Amino acid sequence: MVYLNLLWAYLKIGLFGFGGGYAMLSLIQHEAVEVVHYGETSPWLTSKEFTDIVAISQMTPGPIGINSATYIGYVATGGSILGSILATVAVCLPSFILVLLIGKFLLKHQNNIYIKSIFAGLRPIVVGLIASAALILMNKENFPDYTLSILICIGAFCLVHYTKLHPIWIIVLAGVTGFLVY
């Protein structure tokens, strides 16, 4: 039953996760941490495990949605590679199908005012989904001391804005600061 639950959950995530991995995070978090799927006794992950997989997905190559699907598929099925493969394919499949079905249509009608309006309306929705993902990750596991975290954020912003330091160095400095402080 867990395989059918994984397939259904990740087909939904792949179909409705517009905007990429960060936009998918709220859907993934809902399915993996909050929902007890049919025939199962508990959610697939705890909140802490979900936070950890998001952090690990940032350090590994590949999109966050695919990395988390692979890991959650593995965990949900008790360490089965088949679960990893199933969840990974299920999260990618809707995108492939949609691109095949509507790609030609969009090329034909790309200058249509209605099509342009639809895409203009999707932009704020994607921004909202990404903001939702940021709020989900603002928990005690990621930010044990909000005041200090806000100070690090303000410091990083000031460095970028006033010194024009490359963003990679800002990330390294923020990471070292967080490591030393926490």
Side-chain angles (χ1 to χ4, degrees), residues 3-165:
Y3 292 100
L4 288 175
N5 290 336
L6 267 175
L7 179 67
W8 179 243
Y10 276 98
L11 283 173
K12 289 189 299 187
I13 291 167
L15 185 61
F16 297 111
F18 295 104
Y22 288 110
M24 287 181 178
L25 277 182
S26 59
L27 293 169
I28 295 170
Q29 190 260 348
H30 174 73
E31 291 290 335
V33 177
E34 297 171 6
V35 174
V36 177
H37 296 275
Y38 181 76
E40 298 179 29
T41 57
S42 64
W44 294 326
L45 298 176
T46 65
S47 181
K48 172 127 177 52
E49 289 172 327
F50 180 74
T51 301
D52 291 344
I53 189 55
V54 170
I56 290 168
S57 292
Q58 291 301 301
M59 296 184 294
T60 56
I64 191 170
I66 294 173
N67 288 345
S68 63
T70 304
Y71 176 76
I72 292 169
Y74 182 80
V75 170
T77 57
S80 168
I81 299 296
L82 180 60
S84 293
I85 293 169
L86 180 69
T88 305
V89 169
V91 80
C92 296
L93 190 61
S95 299
F96 292 140
I97 292 171
L98 285 173
V99 167
L100 288 173
L101 292 177
I102 65 174
K104 193 169 187 167
F105 173 81
L106 287 178
L107 283 174
K108 185 177 177 182
H109 300 288
Q110 68 184 354
N111 294 323
N112 185 309
I113 188 77
Y114 299 112
I115 299 295
K116 286 183 179 183
S117 298
I118 289 170
F119 281 105
L122 283 176
R123 286 186 193 109
I125 293 170
V126 170
V127 171
L129 287 171
I130 293 171
S132 170
L135 291 174
I136 287 171
L137 295 174
M138 294 181 87
N139 54 33
K140 287 292 184 187
E141 286 88 14
N142 284 331
F143 298 100
D145 180 10
Y146 285 113
T147 307
L148 193 52
S149 297
I150 290 170
L151 289 175
I152 292 172
C153 180
I154 291 170
F157 175 77
C158 289
L159 278 173
V160 168
H161 186 69
Y162 294 115
T163 67
K164 305 296 184 203
L165 194 60

